[in-house]
Amino acid sequence: MSLIDRYLLRLAFWPMVGATGVTLIALLLERTLRLLDMLAASSDRFGFVAQLAVNLVPHYVGLTLPAAFFLALVVVVNRMNQSSEVDALLAAGVSLTRLAAPYLCLAAALTAVSLLVFGFLQPYSRYAYRAVLHTAQNAGWNGLVPAETILIPSKDLTVTTDAADPAGQRLERIFIRRIDEKGREEVTTASMAEIRRTADNANVRLELQNGQQLRFNAEGHPQVLRFDSFTMQLPMTGPAKLLRARGGDERELTLFELWNQASSNRSTLPKETLKGELYGRLARAFGLMLLPLLAVPLGMAAKRSGRAPGAIVGGILLLAFHHLVQLGQGLAETGRVPASLAVGAPFLGFAAICFLVFFTSRKRPGETPIGLAMEHISAVMARMRPRKAATGAAA
């Protein structure tokens, strides 16, 4: 590697790391808040949310890496352009292709990372996420009752309390609804209660004070029991685990497993679904190789038309590519379009745009079809403004 290559890579490294880190943290925080709200009634929601967040990291890395790489290249090339470093390199005989070469090598390395993430880390982490989420949603009851939370450990038991100590063991104004083994409903309320686990840790003992109990006898007639002190025993329930192996969903299969099942006739999943998932992952991974061809010309054009238009248009193209690949996978899953066409068409279209922008900019550095289109749009809007003003004055 030459001095220029090391310099260009060093300039792009920290912006890319910063953009990836900030975006990843923002997405994880947003998802964590939703998970906390979803698991509000779980007895160990913070522990479950931490496990779920860790398993989400490969998924969000796959989403943020292309956007962060593209944004870092646009920012770095624009910064060099504004300080006339690009002009000096071009004047010294360094072509646009040579300028983009280290970023193409970096893109190749990131493509290998993406293949690892998309092909192997995401399938395992997705299954682990679903297993933890299933366990959290069916975590049962550990004997603690948080305040102002409706606990439903099972379909036969509902418990809630208005106030509780930090340990969740001394309760005030408690409500308990239970269905006994004969299917009869039983409702108990009390002003105070203390919870204690039994020695076998299979049940909890509630010592209720100043309350009443409504229940129905064998004939179906209601009976009300008022008490000063009453002891009730309730069962604790353990977590329910996900009782299926990895691979029930095509997104839980690795690249090799997708290829093997798509090539065989023994898979329970449709072949086009498997092919759509396989081609979609490959398209997203190899799409990173195309980003320097788009980002470097747009970064150079920013000196002429401003940084925002190029970055915005490039971001829209990248987002459209991602969603079109998703749409292609959906069409392949329904069997309407072959997977190779449904996913290959968006990839080839995005590749054509990137090559067009790059080779057009090679002839005239700083000029791209996107920049020229933005200039035409700005000129049309500028011509329309005086007419509106004149129309307003005439009125």
Side-chain angles (χ1 to χ4, degrees):
M1 294 179 64
S2 67
L3 180 62
I4 294 177
D5 294 331
R6 292 195 296 271
Y7 176 68
L8 293 175
L9 291 174
R10 187 170 66 249
L11 287 178
F13 178 75
W14 290 114
M16 185 181 67
V17 171
T20 304
V22 170
T23 309
L24 183 62
I25 291 173
L27 291 173
L28 283 175
L29 285 176
E30 187 271 338
R31 190 63 175 270
T32 299
L33 292 176
R34 283 196 288 157
L35 289 172
L36 284 172
D37 183 62
M38 182 191 304
L39 303 178
S42 176
S43 58
D44 188 22
R45 59 182 179 275
F46 294 106
F48 285 127
V49 167
Q51 297 178 56
L52 292 170
V54 170
N55 287 316
L56 282 171
V57 170
H59 171 70
Y60 283 129
V61 166
L63 288 178
T64 59
L65 192 57
F69 182 46
F70 173 80
L71 182 61
L73 293 187
V74 172
V75 170
V76 167
V77 175
N78 175 68
R79 186 185 303 165
M80 294 175 60
N81 205 15
Q82 295 293 338
S83 61
S84 299
E85 290 181 77
V86 173
D87 295 335
L89 290 172
L90 294 176
V94 178
S95 65
L96 180 63
T97 304
R98 182 64 184 85
L99 187 65
Y103 296 136
L104 289 170
C105 294
L106 179 59
L110 293 178
T111 299
V113 173
S114 294
L115 286 173
L116 176 64
V117 171
F118 287 125
F120 302 96
L121 295 182
Q122 279 192 7
Y124 283 97
S125 66
R126 189 181 300 275
Y127 176 76
Y129 174 86
R130 290 174 175 175
V132 174
L133 183 62
H134 180 82
T135 302
Q137 291 176 332
N138 301 273
W141 185 39
N142 64 351
L144 303 179
V145 183
E148 298 181 353
T149 299
I150 299 176
L151 293 178
I152 308 178
S154 67
K155 63 179 181 179
D156 299 330
L157 179 62
T158 302
V159 183
T160 184
T161 183
D162 290 347
D165 66 346
Q169 294 182 332
R170 289 186 59 86
L171 315 176
E172 297 180 11
R173 297 181 295 280
I174 187 172
F175 172 89
I176 302 170
R177 177 184 178 272
R178 183 171 63 168
I179 306 297
D180 63 15
E181 60 277 1
K182 296 181 180 180
R184 293 178 295 192
E185 184 178 20
E186 179 183 282
V187 178
T188 306
T189 61
S191 61
M192 300 285 293
E194 289 190 6
I195 294 182
R196 296 287 185 270
R197 292 190 183 187
T198 57
D200 57 3
N201 284 326
N203 300 278
V204 293
R205 183 177 293 107
L206 275 75
E207 299 177 0
L208 306 168
Q209 299 176 8
N210 301 325
Q212 58 185 1
Q213 184 181 81
L214 171 65
R215 57 186 173 184
F216 296 86
N217 58 21
E219 290 77 22
H221 300 298
Q223 295 178 338
V224 177
L225 170 67
R226 291 180 174 85
F227 56 84
D228 294 328
S229 179
F230 184 74
T231 300
M232 177 184 293
Q233 186 164 289
L234 300 175
M236 292 192 297
T237 55
K241 297 183 178 180
L242 188 61
L243 299 179
R244 68 170 179 84
R246 183 182 60 83
D249 185 346
E250 68 275 5
R251 292 178 295 178
E252 297 175 359
L253 299 173
T254 65
L255 286 178
F256 295 144
E257 290 168 344
L258 284 171
W259 175 264
N260 291 333
Q261 292 198 24
S263 303
S264 69
N265 297 319
R266 293 175 296 177
S267 175
T268 58
L269 297 171
K271 277 192 174 183
E272 291 302 317
T273 300
L274 295 169
K275 290 181 180 179
E277 181 67 20
L278 175 63
Y279 298 156
R281 294 189 201 177
L282 294 176
R284 292 188 183 92
F286 285 102
L288 279 164
M289 292 287 294
L290 303 171
L291 294 183
L293 303 179
L294 181 64
V296 173
L298 290 180
M300 294 178 62
K303 187 175 182 179
R304 177 175 176 177
S305 58
R307 180 190 308 176
I312 292 174
V313 173
I316 292 173
L317 288 173
L318 191 58
L319 187 64
F321 168 66
H322 175 74
H323 285 292
L324 286 174
V325 169
Q326 279 190 328
L327 177 62
Q329 289 181 243
L331 293 174
E333 187 174 353
T334 60
R336 298 178 183 176
V337 183
S340 56
L341 178 62
V343 179
F347 179 79
L348 293 177
F350 184 66
I353 293 174
C354 294
F355 278 106
L356 176 64
V357 170
F358 184 77
F359 285 105
T360 303
S361 186
R362 280 185 63 191
K363 299 177 181 179
R364 294 183 179 179
E367 287 190 10
T368 64
I370 295 176
L372 294 176
M374 297 301 296
E375 289 180 5
H376 285 304
I377 293 173
S378 301
V380 171
M381 294 179 64
R383 285 197 298 268
M384 292 175 61
R385 289 172 189 166
R387 293 181 183 178
K388 290 183 179 180
T391 304

